[in-house]
């Protein structure tokens, strides 16, 4: 009888050690191995407790029978406590693993979001740089056209002034009528107005472009 009790006690002692180690382990791989050993020891201990209880019931000596049944009850209580503790540890590990997975997933999503944001910012910067490059080219083109228009107006002004002088000289030599001279003067005034208007329009365009 004592040998069966001692065998059950050895299994119980080993089981307590494994459950204590299981509670402190961090590695999932190692804890899985220990968890499997605990499950096997729980099954073995339950079997030995049942066998020892049967032997106790068969004991003819009442005092020994009572002692054996009490021992079986105590071992069964220990077995139940260790089983509940193992279940709690397993549940706690599963919850912690779930939280870790969720945290890692959230971190990965955050990193992906940051990468996409950085890519978008870089693309926006490139687009903005390209936009300003095209704008500068357009502004240079408008300024060049404006300068060309101003140069043409100056050339026309010079031509008109030269024609005006020639007409005055002709008037002095041929005696042209004052009406023709007045018409030329009006034309000159109109050309000046056109020149001024052209310059104003060019300046306005340059102002709105900037």
């Amino acid at each position: 009888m004592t040998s069966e009790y001692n065998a059950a006690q050895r299994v119980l002692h080993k089981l307590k050690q494994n459950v204590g180690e299981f509670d402190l382990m961090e590695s999932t791989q190692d804890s899985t191995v220990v968890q499997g050993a605990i499950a096997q020891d729980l099954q073995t201990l339950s079997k030995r407790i049942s066998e020892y209880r049967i032997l106790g019931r068969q004991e003819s000596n009442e005092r020994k029978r009572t002692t054996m049944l009490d021992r079986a009850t105590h071992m069964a209580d220990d077995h139940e406590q260790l089983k509940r503790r193992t279940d709690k540890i397993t549940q706690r590990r599963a919850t912690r693993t779930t939280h870790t997975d969720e945290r890692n997933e959230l971190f990965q999503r955050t990193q992906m979001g940051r990468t996409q944001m950085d890519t978008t910012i870089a693309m926006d910067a490139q687009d903005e740089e390209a936009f300003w490059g095209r704008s500068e080219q357009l502004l240079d083109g408008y300024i060049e056209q404006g300068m060309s228009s101003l140069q043409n107006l100056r050339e026309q002004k010079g031509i008109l002034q030269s024609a005006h002088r020639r007409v005055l000289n002709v008037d002095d030599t041929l005696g042209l009528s004052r009406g023709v001279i007045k018409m030329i003067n009006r034309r000159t005034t109109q050309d000046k107005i056109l020149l001024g208007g052209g310059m104003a329009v060019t300046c306005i365009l340059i102002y709105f472009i900037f």
Side-chain angles (χ1 to χ4, degrees), residues 157-173:
K157 179 181 178 182
I159 294 172
L160 291 174
Q161 289 177 348
S162 177
H164 186 213
R165 286 193 297 271
R166 285 198 297 269
V167 170
L168 291 176
N169 292 332
V170 171
D171 179 42
D172 292 338
T173 56

Side-chain angles (χ1 to χ4, degrees), residues 20-22 82 84 94 112 127 133 155 162 183-184 191 200 202:
E21 292 177 2
F22 181 54
L82 291 172
R84 286 199 300 267
M112 291 177 61
D127 293 340
E155 292 177 355
S162 177
M183 181 179 66
I184 293 174
D191 290 338
T202 302

Side-chain angles (χ1 to χ4, degrees), residues 34-144:
V34 175
Q35 186 177 3
I38 291 173
Q40 184 176 357
D41 289 340
L42 284 171
Q43 185 176 1
T44 302
L45 180 60
S46 178
K47 181 179 178 180
R48 290 191 178 276
I49 292 172
S50 298
E51 293 175 350
Y52 189 73
R53 182 179 283 111
I54 292 172
L55 291 175
R57 290 171 180 172
Q58 294 175 354
E59 176 62 43
S60 58
N61 188 303
E62 183 178 355
R63 189 177 63 178
K64 289 183 178 180
R65 182 171 65 251
T66 302
T67 301
M68 292 177 67
L69 292 177
D70 288 341
R71 288 177 177 178
T73 300
H74 289 316
M75 288 190 295
D77 292 339
D78 291 339
H79 175 275
E80 186 63 25
Q81 290 178 2
L82 291 172
K83 184 176 182 301
R84 286 199 300 267
R85 184 181 174 187
T86 302
D87 292 339
K88 288 181 179 180
I89 296 172
T90 303
Q91 184 178 2
R92 187 180 64 206
R93 284 180 175 274
T95 302
R96 184 169 56 189
T97 301
T98 301
H99 290 169
T100 301
D101 294 341
E102 291 176 351
R103 185 171 60 253
N104 292 336
E105 183 179 359
L106 179 60
F107 177 76
Q108 292 177 357
R109 290 181 179 179
T110 303
Q111 289 298 107
M112 291 177 61
R114 289 179 180 176
T115 302
Q116 292 177 354
M117 184 179 296
D118 293 340
T119 303
T120 302
I121 292 174
M123 293 178 63
D124 291 342
Q126 293 177 356
D127 293 340
E128 183 177 358
E129 183 177 356
F131 170 76
W132 285 114
R134 292 192 298 268
S135 299
E136 289 179 358
Q137 293 178 356
L138 290 173
L139 288 174
D140 292 339
Y142 289 140
I143 292 173
E144 185 177 353

